[in-house]
Amino acid sequence: MWRDQFTFNCYTVQQMSVENLIVSVEKGRLKKVSTRKNPFSRWGVVRQSRFIEGLLTGQPQPSLFVDGSLKVSYILGGANIIDTLYRFCTDLFPLKSLLLNVLDVEGKRFSQLPSTLRYRILNFTFHVNVIIPGVSSTQRMAIYANIDRDNTRLSDYRQIVFPDTYPLLAKEYVNIRSMIRAKRLPLGGHSDFEDDFCRMAAAVYIMDAQVKMDDSSWNYNIDTLVSTILEDSDLTQKVVTNLRDRNYLERITQCTDLKKIFSFNDPWKRLSFLTALALSDKSEIKKLMARSDYMKNVSGKNSARDLEQTVAWLKR
């Protein structure tokens, strides 16, 4: 009974043979999500070889997960499995360091296997969970965010889900990042500041729409708000325009806890503050730095270091 009430009907389950998977990859109908900053984390040859050995010896295999709602399907789960199968079946590596080797295939490539083993691989069938057409962009983005992403960033997924509007935000992010670096402000080592920039865009939208949100709902709803913005091209353009207004960004720093500006628990807040600095001239920054609440609430090792760098920039 509970399955009927709570199952999210965005998926279907299909059976696909290895041969069909390989053909789909070759024809460009099935692709990995491209990662611009973090490259695809491919298994090494030994791990790939042992996966092939497990398949040949009948070990249970996991299901795959694919977004099939577009003309091109994207691999969301099982990218290494599909990559391994494609590379082995196209003779790109020989089997190496096998654990069982009961089939005497150590050191052999696909073309060197007996025909019975080649047939076994090509006709092995995987269960593939597929996102069906008709699922909204916001729902797709929520599904993407919930899966194990490995090295894939949310910003990479947004590029796929919102191909018309996301580049507008991404371009603005590049501009702001350049300004922050040009002024030698401490951007920090967070892995996906582009995603944090999207969250900051959502915060700007909240300011513009005068939406009331309590502290507990900020992080819970912020990614949904990003999707809401990106689904509407006019709204995206409006947010981009407002992102260039330092007053919006300074209001974000005023409405959120300044203790968390330099905390990586809330990196998008920190980024909003740095962006406000980047858009300001020195006199305006000095006024902001002189605010008693700012000087009172900034604390901690990282905060002290970042504050020191900012002050050093002011003195140049």
Side-chain angles (χ1 to χ4, degrees):
M1 183 67 181
W2 66 270
R3 295 181 65 87
D4 294 330
Q5 291 177 338
F6 299 111
T7 299
F8 192 42
N9 285 326
C10 289
Y11 319 99
T12 185
V13 179
Q14 300 179 5
Q15 310 293 322
M16 288 191 71
S17 68
V18 170
E19 186 172 19
N20 286 337
L21 288 170
I22 292 172
V23 170
S24 296
V25 171
E26 286 179 337
K27 294 186 177 296
R29 298 195 299 260
L30 184 61
K31 295 183 177 181
K32 299 190 293 286
V33 177
S34 62
T35 55
R36 291 158 292 152
K37 285 291 184 71
N38 298 324
F40 172 64
S41 182
R42 174 180 289 162
W43 289 345
V45 173
V46 172
R47 188 169 182 182
Q48 289 180 326
S49 298
R50 290 175 180 176
F51 171 79
I52 297 295
E53 180 182 40
L55 189 149
L56 286 171
T57 55
Q59 294 178 13
Q61 300 300 326
S63 60
L64 309 176
F65 189 17
V66 169
D67 183 357
S69 62
L70 304 172
K71 291 182 179 179
V72 175
S73 296
Y74 288 95
I75 305 166
L76 304 182
N80 266 308
I81 291 176
I82 295 174
D83 181 67
T84 296
L85 291 167
Y86 177 79
R87 296 185 74 244
F88 182 67
C89 292
T90 53
D91 266 4
L92 292 180
F93 70 92
L95 297 177
K96 179 181 179 181
S97 300
L98 302 179
L99 293 174
L100 299 174
N101 200 27
V102 293
L103 298 172
D104 192 26
V105 292
E106 177 79 26
K108 293 183 178 179
R109 298 177 184 270
F110 178 78
S111 61
Q112 297 171 322
L113 297 179
S115 59
T116 54
L117 296 185
R118 295 201 303 270
Y119 179 88
R120 186 181 303 179
I121 292 175
L122 292 176
N123 287 275
F124 185 89
T125 301
F126 282 90
H127 295 278
V128 184
N129 298 293
V130 182
I131 301 177
I132 61 177
V135 177
S136 72
S137 297
T138 299
Q139 289 174 330
R140 287 174 60 215
M141 194 62 224
I143 294 169
Y144 282 30
N146 281 335
I147 63 176
D148 183 9
R149 299 194 297 273
D150 294 324
N151 283 343
T152 308
R153 309 176 306 167
L154 281 178
S155 48
D156 293 313
Y157 286 139
R158 288 195 180 100
Q159 184 74 33
I160 293 172
V161 178
F162 304 104
D164 297 325
T165 55
Y166 182 73
L168 296 175
L169 272 187
K171 181 180 179 180
E172 195 61 26
Y173 164 74
V174 171
N175 293 337
I176 293 295
R177 183 185 61 186
S178 298
M179 293 175 66
I180 290 174
R181 289 178 172 173
K183 291 191 174 182
R184 298 181 184 177
L185 292 168
L187 187 60
H190 189 65
S191 61
D192 195 0
F193 262 114
E194 193 167 338
D195 176 47
D196 298 327
F197 184 81
C198 289
R199 294 179 170 214
M200 184 172 70
V204 169
Y205 165 74
I206 291 170
M207 293 293 178
D208 188 56
Q210 296 184 338
V211 176
K212 301 295 183 182
M213 294 179 67
D214 57 47
D215 290 340
S216 63
S217 62
W218 273 95
N219 288 332
Y220 179 77
N221 289 326
I222 204 77
D223 288 323
T224 302
L225 281 169
V226 172
S227 296
T228 300
I229 293 167
L230 292 173
E231 277 194 312
D232 187 325
S233 58
D234 291 336
L235 182 56
T236 301
Q237 187 58 61
K238 185 176 182 180
V239 168
V240 166
T241 301
N242 288 342
L243 278 168
R244 298 168 184 168
D245 187 340
R246 182 184 59 82
N247 293 327
Y248 277 97
L249 302 171
E250 189 169 332
R251 286 172 63 194
I252 296 174
T253 69
Q254 292 171 346
C255 78
T256 56
D257 185 0
L258 285 171
K259 289 181 180 179
K260 297 180 180 179
I261 285 177
F262 287 104
S263 168
F264 286 108
N265 293 328
D266 295 280
W268 65 270
K269 296 178 184 177
R270 182 176 186 273
L271 181 60
S272 68
F273 176 74
L274 293 176
T275 303
L277 291 182
L279 292 173
S280 303
D281 59 32
K282 289 188 178 183
S283 61
E284 290 174 323
I285 297 177
K286 287 179 179 178
K287 292 177 184 178
L288 183 62
M289 298 285 286
R291 274 175 35 189
S292 59
D293 56 345
Y294 170 73
M295 297 303 293
K296 176 182 177 181
N297 286 310
V298 171
S299 61
K301 181 178 180 181
N302 290 337
S303 302
R305 181 191 63 207
D306 295 339
L307 180 59
E308 182 180 346
Q309 292 184 30
T310 303
V311 172
W313 177 80
L314 288 170
K315 292 179 178 178
R316 291 206 313 269

